Structure formats: C-alpha cells, structure tokens
Amino acid sequence: MNVIIGIVAGIVAIAVIVGVIFAVRSSRRRNQRDIQDGSRIGGGAEAAGSEGGEGAARQSQYSAARGAAGDTEVPSQAQSAGANAAQASAESEKPARSPLDAPESATSRISRLKARLAKSSNPFGKALFNILAKDQLAESDWEDVEDTLLLADVGAQASGELVEELRRDARIVGESDPAQVRTALRGKLLDLVGRDTDRSLNADRADANTPSVIIMVGVNGTGKTTTAGKLARLFVAGGKKVVLGAADTFRAAAADQLETWGARVGVPVVRSDKDGADPASVAFEAAQRAKDEQADVLIIDTAGRLQNKANLMDELGKIRRVTEKNLPVDEVLLVLDATTGQNGMAQAKVFAEAIGITGVVLTKLDGSARGGIVISVQRELGVPVKLVGLGEGPDDLAPFDPEGFVDGILA
Ligand SMILES: Nc1nc2c(ncn2[C@@H]2O[C@H](COP(=O)(O)OP(=O)(O)OP(=O)(O)O)[C@@H](O)[C@H]2O)c(=O)[nH]1
C-alpha cells in the first residue's frame, strides 16, 4: 500500500513540476509578443503621425545618419551626404501618408495678382492720374507728381526723369484729355518697369541645367524661407522635381519651417539638426542629393545675417563654392521686403556685391503702397524683379507681370 501511495505521490509531484515549467515558458512567450507588438504600434503611430511628428522623426533620422557632420569639412561632408542619401531613399520609399497639396499654376496666380493689386488702394497711380487729369497743370502740380512718385518709392532719378518726360509731352500735345494722359502714363510706367525684360527663372529655360540650382539670399525677415517654400510649390505646379536645402542654420526654426513647406508638396528637405552648423555643409549635401535624385531644381535657403559685409561675403561665397563642387549655381535670388522701401535698397546692394544676384523677389507687396520699388530696385541693381510675394498664403507668389502690375496700380 505504502509503495502505491509513494508512486502516486511521485507522479503528482512530477506533473506539478512539468505544469510550472510550461506556465513559466508560455508567460515568457507572451511577454516577448507584447514587446514586439508594442514596437510595431510605435512605428505605426510614427507612420500615421502628424506633420510635426513626422518632422521630428525625420529630424532624428538625420541626426543618426549625420552625426556631427554639420560642422565638418567638405570631404567628411561627402561621407555624411552618402549616409543622408541612403536615409533619404529609405524615406522616399515610405508610403505616402497624407494627400499632398496641388499647388496653383503660374497662370492662375498671375490673374490673382492683377485682381489683388487692382483691389488694393494704392495711391501711386491714382494720385498721379488725378493731378494729370487737370485741364492745365501748374508748376506745383508737377512737383506733386514728383512727390507722389518719390513716396511710392520710384526713386529720385527715375521720378525726375518721368516727370520731365510727362512735362515735355504735355507741352507738345497741348491740352490733354484724361484718357490720353492715362494712356501716356501707362506707357511711361511700363517703360520704366521694363515691358520686354526677360524675367524667366533660369531653371525654367529650355537649356537649363538639371538640377538647376537657386540660392535665396536677403536680410532676415524679408521672407526668404517662406519664398523658398512657395517657389518649391511653383515648380511642383509646373511638374518639376524639387529638393530644398535648409542652409539657414542660424535660425533653428527655419529648417522646420522649410520641412513643413516641403512635406505639403512631397519635396525632400536636406537639413542639419545642429543649430549653427556650417551652412555650406548643408548646401553641399543638398547639391549632392539633388544630383543623386536627378532633381530638376534645388532651392537653397540661407540665413544671410548682415553682421558685416566681410562676414556675409565669406558665408555666401563659401556656400556658392561648396555647392559648385557638385553643381553649378544658376540663380541667386535676392528676397526684398517691399514694405522697407528705399531702406531695403542699401542692404540689397550689399548682397549684390557679396554674391552677385540674378533676380529679385519682392515680397509683401500686398502690404505695401510702394509698388514703385520695382522700378528703383531694377535700376539700382541692374537685375529684373522676377517674382512677387502677395501674401502669406502658400501660393501667394507669382511671376512678375509688368502689364498686370501697371494696370493694377493705375486702376
Ligand atoms: N504679407 C506677406 N507676408 C509675407 C510674404 N512673404 C513672407 N511673408 C511673411 O514674412 C515673415 C518672415 O518670413 P520668413 O520666410 O520667415 O523670413 P526669412 O527671411 O526667412 O527670415 P530669417 O530666417 O530670419 O532670415 C513670415 O511671417 C512670412 O509669412 C508676402 O509676400 N506677403
């Protein structure tokens, strides 16, 4: 009997031990599954994340790929560019997460520009027209004409010349009816603005380099970053493949700002995560990536702080030189704030000397009654106004259209 009880007790003890072992193993397996599921959920959340979350994720990917590349010299930037390119292609393989914006076409923007300028109560043309519509013009009227032009930022020399020509014509024609004066004024303003000037962006020319490189320069706050983002949309609307380079490493938020612009239209942004990193390093990597990805256009945003001219020249000169190790620079666009009027001109000249500019973008024209700056900026810098910024909306950047501009201010 004792033997039988002993055998049963042994079997029960073995069964208990085996049961405990199984329970422990399956509990471990469950834990492992939970951990794996947890990381998948995290990845899913990232994939479905908001623009900010996505930006932050991308930012940390760049940090991982780049390490301290931001401040290194060019040869090591090349290695880091390779890492970035790999990172970039991994990113581009990610499925699209949110529908992209469909930016407005250039033609439609120009119609909006005309309408917006016509609606703005610009005193420029109206004041001139009122004065010139008088039957007889006294000396004081001509002075008023000149003052109005000066107030509208046409600049002293151009204002003097325009008044002189109008006076001469009035003498020749004798008494003039308002319609004639208006036509004459329109013609003269168009001449001053430049009706036949080539204002096309070099990247849009038939023989443009691909990728075509555009560097944005200008004093802080004029709208460089915003314009770089808007310009990317303009090219995307024209069916071009764009890469953005965030070489404004001075203002940390500038790269985030540019990344948000890029994300809305599926344009990649090459950036550094390090505040104050060498902007030329970012420009180098951006050029490398635009080349690798066979982009049509590379737009490089810069900080362009005006600490002093030598410093500015060094910084912009280095950005250009380093970019040109990969790609020739086709365009340097100076971004000018129309509301700063003639004060902006002095700064503009410094930039023109520092890097040499090929065109001007006049921003905030929506908030300015000083459309005449178009005339003075072209005269003084000898380069055309190619684009105008007409608001804070994403597509409020349009090719500059002289006829629409003159009609708008005379309306
Ligand atoms: N109304 C109006 N605002 C504009 C226009 N273009 C830019 N802005 C605004 O101007 C402000 C400054 O623009 P940014 O693009 O940050 O200027 P930035 O030159 O890059 O400035 P820094 O990075 O400091 O050098 C922003 O609030 C823009 O929305 C425009 O055409 N019209």
Side-chain angles (χ1 to χ4, degrees):
M1 188 63 183
N2 279 349
V3 173
I4 291 168
I5 291 170
I7 290 169
V8 170
I11 290 170
V12 169
I14 289 167
V16 168
I17 291 166
V18 168
V20 167
I21 290 170
F22 268 107
V24 168
R25 278 194 180 168
S26 67
S27 146
R28 273 194 196 149
R29 271 196 216 110
R30 252 199 322 276
N31 281 346
Q32 273 171 358
R33 260 204 314 275
D34 286 350
I35 290 165
Q36 281 164 1
D37 286 351
S39 65
R40 266 202 297 274
I41 289 163
E46 181 203 319
S50 63
E51 268 178 12
E54 190 184 326
R58 201 177 293 159
Q59 199 168 324
S60 64
Q61 285 166 351
Y62 269 113
S63 332
R66 296 167 59 98
D71 269 340
T72 53
E73 285 305 313
V74 169
S76 54
Q77 288 157 12
Q79 290 159 9
S80 151
N84 258 4
Q87 188 65 53
S89 60
E91 272 171 42
S92 61
E93 278 161 25
K94 284 185 193 167
R97 285 154 200 158
S98 56
L100 298 175
D101 286 4
E104 188 181 10
S105 72
T107 336
S108 149
R109 289 166 193 230
I110 291 174
S111 325
R112 271 200 308 123
L113 153 70
K114 286 185 187 173
R116 193 170 288 185
L117 282 175
K119 260 190 264 159
S120 68
S121 56
N122 195 325
F124 182 48
K126 282 179 194 136
L128 285 175
F129 184 72
N130 288 339
I131 300 163
L132 293 169
K134 291 182 179 178
D135 283 347
Q136 286 288 318
L137 292 175
E139 185 59 31
S140 61
D141 291 325
W142 289 114
E143 280 166 17
D144 285 350
V145 172
E146 193 161 346
D147 287 350
T148 311
L149 290 170
L150 284 170
L151 282 174
D153 266 331
V154 171
Q157 201 191 344
S159 304
E161 284 172 18
L162 180 56
V163 168
E164 211 31 65
E165 281 183 36
L166 285 169
R167 287 186 85 155
R168 196 188 55 220
D169 291 357
R171 276 197 300 273
I172 295 167
V173 177
E175 279 178 354
S176 30
D177 78 85
Q180 274 178 333
V181 175
R182 190 185 160 82
T183 312
L185 180 56
R186 182 180 189 275
K188 289 200 188 309
L189 282 172
L190 259 179
D191 288 343
L192 275 178
V193 172
R195 55 181 102 208
D196 299 322
T197 313
D198 181 3
R199 298 174 193 278
S200 57
L201 290 167
N202 295 340
D204 280 332
R205 302 214 164 120
D207 58 350
N209 290 317
T210 43
S212 216
V213 180
I214 302 175
I215 299 181
M216 314 292 297
V217 300
V219 177
N220 46 303
T222 52
K224 285 183 304 297
T225 307
T226 310
T227 305
K230 288 177 178 174
L231 190 53
R233 294 175 68 93
L234 193 59
F235 283 121
V236 168
K240 290 199 161 46
K241 185 173 177 186
V242 183
V243 170
L244 283 163
D248 179 354
T249 54
F250 185 87
R251 187 167 65 91
D256 295 340
Q257 203 181 323
L258 208 58
E259 218 160 37
T260 304
W261 280 99
R264 290 178 68 174
V265 284
V267 165
V269 178
V270 176
R271 61 174 293 174
S272 168
D273 296 323
K274 233 174 126 189
D275 286 356
D278 182 359
S281 158
V282 179
F284 179 87
E285 294 191 19
Q288 182 76 60
R289 176 151 173 199
K291 202 164 133 185
D292 291 347
E293 295 203 356
Q294 298 179 324
D296 298 304
V297 189
L298 165 65
I299 304 169
I300 300 174
D301 183 28
T302 64
R305 299 273 142 172
L306 264 177
Q307 299 95 332
N308 61 58
K309 196 168 149 193
N311 181 296
L312 183 80
M313 280 181 152
D314 279 356
E315 181 174 315
L316 294 179
K318 190 173 171 197
I319 289 177
R320 181 193 264 271
R321 277 195 313 279
V322 167
T323 304
E324 284 178 341
K325 285 179 189 282
N326 279 309
L327 297 168
V329 172
D330 303 278
E331 185 109 65
V332 179
L333 289 177
L334 173 72
V335 180
L336 261 191
D337 177 342
T339 61
T340 58
Q342 293 295 317
N343 293 337
M345 284 301 308
Q347 298 162 346
K349 283 185 195 157
V350 175
F351 277 93
E353 280 174 39
I355 187 165
I357 56 174
T358 58
V360 173
V361 183
L362 208 54
T363 58
K364 311 187 193 180
L365 209 50
D366 51 306
S368 170
R370 299 167 143 190
I373 186 92
V374 168
I375 294 165
S376 46
V377 80
Q378 292 184 145
R379 279 200 159 215
E380 302 219 15
L381 299 182
V383 292
V385 172
K386 294 193 169 185
L387 297 161
V388 283
L390 288 153
E392 301 200 55
D395 291 323
D396 289 344
L397 178 80
F400 179 64
D401 166 44
E403 302 229 346
F405 176 75
V406 169
D407 287 342
I409 58 180
L410 286 178

